[in-house]
Amino acid sequence: MSMTANTPPVETTNTTTTQPADTSTDRRARPLVTVRDLKVRYTDDAPLVLDGVNLDLYPGETVALLGSSGSGKSTLMKALTGFAPVTSGDVNAAGYDVTQLRQKQLRELRSQVGQVFQQFNLIGRLSVITNVLTGGLHNAGPSNWFGSFRSADRKRALALLERVGIADKANAEARTLSGGQQQRVAIARALMQNPRVILADEPVASLDPRMSKSVLELLRSIAHDEGIPVLISLHVLPLALEHSDRIIGLRHGEIIVSGPTPALDAEQLAGVYALEDEEDE
């Protein structure tokens, strides 16, 4: 199913810049992820890692999450799937109230969220197609559990490899591929889940500039064509400006800027990476 990307209204919570209203938003669209006043701390006496974060992710949009190391980007992504504790606030993802889920329900939620990581997390000695097939194990029949994948699943895995541009590598060992190719395998594996949401945590941090651009273009096209919201954690500002529909900037666990990418520029986003001594001047 193909859907056109929707750009939601500018968020104002914890925002230090004023953004123009986005009149192109389809107000009928319902977000697939909704976060309200999220606070996260890992222990009772620890400082807050996230402090009052609000977030909506809409079908078909690509959202870049910017922030320096320690800003809370990874914790926010983990909170969406129950891997980080929710101290207070509301978190709804892919139709699940994350704060109310037991272990079995958490597994169901995680099967609905495709994840792409910096280190690819492939099994190097296995073939590319087998790595992709592992993405569908949560819906696997008994034969799949023992490694004899159904022909329908193999057909789908090959189609996904075609979608990400490396069908010719289906039978190659994953470890023989370049970094950019391995990340494409990881994306195909995530799509094998039939996800409702995709979270990509620093997916191009280990890639060269050319491969980074290629992978981000692929993720954005998937969001647009499949109607899947994609949240991408990045640390390179120009990549966010070029490859997203909306940008959210985190600093010390708070959103300090949020808005449609065309309404933002490098100067407005500079505070996301400001040094501590610069803030005091």
Side-chain angles (χ1 to χ4, degrees):
M1 178 179 66
S2 177
M3 297 181 63
T4 301
N6 296 288
T7 304
V10 173
E11 299 166 19
T12 57
T13 301
N14 291 336
T15 303
T16 59
T17 62
T18 301
Q19 306 302 335
D22 177 19
T23 57
S24 67
T25 299
D26 182 352
R27 304 285 178 173
R28 297 168 298 177
R30 298 183 61 183
L32 287 173
V33 171
T34 301
V35 176
R36 293 291 179 268
D37 197 25
L38 172 62
K39 297 184 180 181
V40 172
R41 58 164 46 98
Y42 284 99
T43 61
D44 291 342
D45 57 350
L48 287 170
V49 181
L50 295 175
D51 188 2
V53 168
N54 295 313
L55 171 68
D56 290 320
L57 298 180
Y58 287 79
E61 70 169 349
T62 301
V63 178
L65 184 61
L66 289 176
S68 58
S69 178
S71 63
K73 302 193 306 297
S74 292
T75 295
L76 175 54
M77 288 192 167
K78 290 177 181 178
L80 297 181
T81 51
F83 283 112
V86 175
T87 302
S88 64
D90 298 315
V91 180
N92 288 273
Y96 293 84
D97 181 347
V98 179
T99 63
Q100 302 298 317
L101 300 183
R102 297 182 181 276
Q103 195 60 41
K104 180 180 178 181
Q105 294 168 315
L106 279 172
R107 288 196 295 270
E108 292 173 358
L109 163 64
R110 291 164 186 166
S111 74
Q112 298 291 309
V113 179
Q115 301 207 52
V116 180
F117 303 97
Q118 176 181 345
Q119 298 302 327
F120 320 134
N121 292 347
L122 302 178
I123 303 174
R125 62 183 175 79
L126 295 183
S127 68
V128 164
I129 191 171
T130 300
N131 273 279
V132 174
L133 284 161
T134 62
L137 286 176
H138 65 283
N139 285 327
S143 62
N144 288 33
W145 298 339
F146 295 100
S148 179
F149 295 98
R150 297 173 298 196
S151 60
D153 292 331
R154 289 182 173 275
K155 183 177 180 179
R156 173 166 167 74
L158 282 170
L160 290 173
L161 287 172
E162 182 73 32
R163 173 69 178 87
V164 302
I166 52 170
D168 60 317
K169 302 292 185 180
N171 295 316
E173 289 188 2
R175 61 188 171 189
T176 66
L177 273 58
S178 68
Q181 290 172 330
Q182 289 191 53
Q183 194 61 287
R184 287 174 178 268
V185 177
I187 292 169
R189 179 184 58 192
L191 289 174
M192 192 72 190
Q193 298 177 219
N194 288 313
R196 298 186 67 193
V197 179
I198 291 177
L199 305 179
D201 193 359
E202 299 285 2
V204 299
S206 60
L207 304 181
D208 64 42
R210 183 176 64 86
M211 286 294 99
S212 296
K213 180 176 180 179
S214 176
V215 166
L216 292 176
E217 287 175 347
L218 174 61
L219 285 169
R220 194 174 185 186
S221 72
I222 288 169
H224 183 276
D225 295 344
E226 306 299 329
I228 302 172
V230 177
L231 180 64
I232 306 177
S233 171
L234 295 170
H235 65 272
V236 178
L237 181 53
L239 289 177
L241 289 169
E242 184 177 357
H243 300 289
S244 69
D245 302 304
R246 188 157 51 97
I247 294 176
I248 294 171
L250 272 175
R251 183 165 175 77
H252 300 318
E254 298 183 6
I255 293 178
I256 66 167
V257 61
S258 175
T261 303
L264 300 172
D265 57 30
E267 183 177 353
Q268 291 169 297
L269 292 162
V272 174
Y273 297 105
L275 299 176
E276 298 294 340
D277 55 353
E278 292 177 345
E279 291 182 332
D280 296 335
E281 291 179 357

